[in-house]
Amino acid sequence: SYVLTQPPSVSVAPGQTARITCGGDDIRTKGVHWYRQRPGQAPVLVVYDDTDRPSGIPERFSGSNSGNTATLTISRVEAGDEADYYCQVWDSRSDHVVFGGGTKVTVL
Amino acid sequence: QVHLVESGGGVVQPGGSLRLSCAASEFTFSNYALHWVRQAPGKGLEWVAVISYDGTKKYHADSVKGRFTISRDSSKNTLYVQMNSLKPEDSAVYYCAKAQGDYVGSPGDYWGQGTLVTVSS
């Protein structure tokens, strides 16, 4: 089965840039989606299809996907960005949705 | 504004059954695929199942295949998951999510607040 690998945690100072990676075999061939989940809340879609943002999501959130790694970049990090972030793909070989293990972003 | 409300969670003994419901409103229900996703306490997101916009395609995670069945009723704008032969490891908050499109691989663009299932004797 397809596996997505994320770092367990990322720490970043306010105003700096956070980069969260999502590794998978030839992931560049898949559309990668990213979710933010604040404590006690439901997930929120922040990037879909590698690079697109839903309405209402700030431009500070951006995505890229190349080779075996997709990346969510959060620019000018704010305290409110502190949350768990998950990447997700659709694996057409197994007809399964696959989530990464999640990355906890801490704002110092 | 899209609204999804899960219900049916609770405490059940191992081997028991539950049916979760997700009432949907403020969008054209029959145009979108729908997902169930769960999250055990302190753990990450785990996909459970997805159903196509017309109910003809259903896919389940290996961990629940043969025990859980996803379904939908467009006359009631409601998504279901029937959970049988429950195990303690099925204990989690269960979320329903509207897919962004009719394609089963579309991401979830709106999520409910979840319903808690606890499997314990």
Side-chain angles (χ1 to χ4, degrees):
Chain A
S1 60
Y2 195 77
V3 175
L4 295 175
T5 302
Q6 298 182 236
S9 62
V10 167
S11 297
V12 58
Q16 298 304 303
T17 298
R19 293 181 180 84
I20 305 162
T21 58
C22 176
D25 183 40
D26 212 18
I27 198 173
R28 65 180 179 85
T29 63
K30 303 182 182 301
V32 179
H33 319 300
W34 292 91
Y35 301 89
R36 175 186 67 205
Q37 186 181 33
R38 293 177 173 137
Q41 296 187 16
V44 172
L45 183 68
V46 295
V47 167
Y48 65 96
D49 292 345
D50 297 338
T51 60
D52 294 337
R53 276 186 317 276
S55 60
I57 300 300
E59 290 183 7
R60 300 186 299 107
F61 289 80
S62 62
S64 63
N65 188 4
S66 177
N68 293 317
T69 304
T71 303
L72 174 69
T73 301
I74 311 172
S75 304
R76 301 180 298 284
V77 165
E78 303 172 355
D81 297 329
E82 193 162 276
D84 294 323
Y85 291 81
Y86 296 89
C87 58
Q88 180 241 303
V89 300
W90 172 255
D91 180 28
S92 58
R93 289 190 179 183
S94 61
D95 288 328
H96 280 26
V97 168
V98 180
F99 282 101
T103 298
K104 181 176 181 60
V105 170
T106 299
V107 180
L108 300 171
Chain B
Q1 176 74 341
V2 171
H3 204 45
L4 298 164
V5 179
E6 302 92 340
S7 61
V11 180
V12 61
Q13 292 189 339
S17 298
L18 274 180
R19 188 179 79 158
L20 304 184
S21 301
C22 172
S25 58
E26 305 302 327
F27 67 98
T28 305
F29 185 80
S30 57
N31 285 0
Y32 296 92
L34 295 163
H35 297 271
W36 284 104
V37 176
R38 69 185 180 183
Q39 188 169 37
K43 302 297 184 182
L45 301 175
E46 180 187 13
W47 173 73
V48 173
V50 64
I51 187 167
S52 61
Y53 70 100
D54 59 0
T56 59
K57 295 184 177 69
K58 304 176 185 182
Y59 303 107
H60 298 80
D62 294 345
S63 59
V64 306
K65 199 166 187 177
R67 300 187 298 122
F68 290 15
T69 302
I70 191 172
S71 63
R72 63 191 295 163
D73 185 339
S74 291
S75 69
K76 297 182 179 179
N77 283 5
T78 301
L79 172 71
Y80 303 100
V81 61
Q82 177 66 43
M83 306 188 297
N84 298 330
S85 303
L86 282 161
K87 305 175 183 180
E89 52 264 40
D90 295 319
S91 297
V93 173
Y94 284 72
Y95 296 99
C96 64
K98 168 191 164 293
Q100 200 176 41
D102 59 1
Y103 169 49
V104 290
S106 299
D109 60 353
Y110 289 92
W111 295 59
Q113 284 306 303
T115 186
L116 178 62
V117 172
T118 303
V119 184
S120 173
S121 53

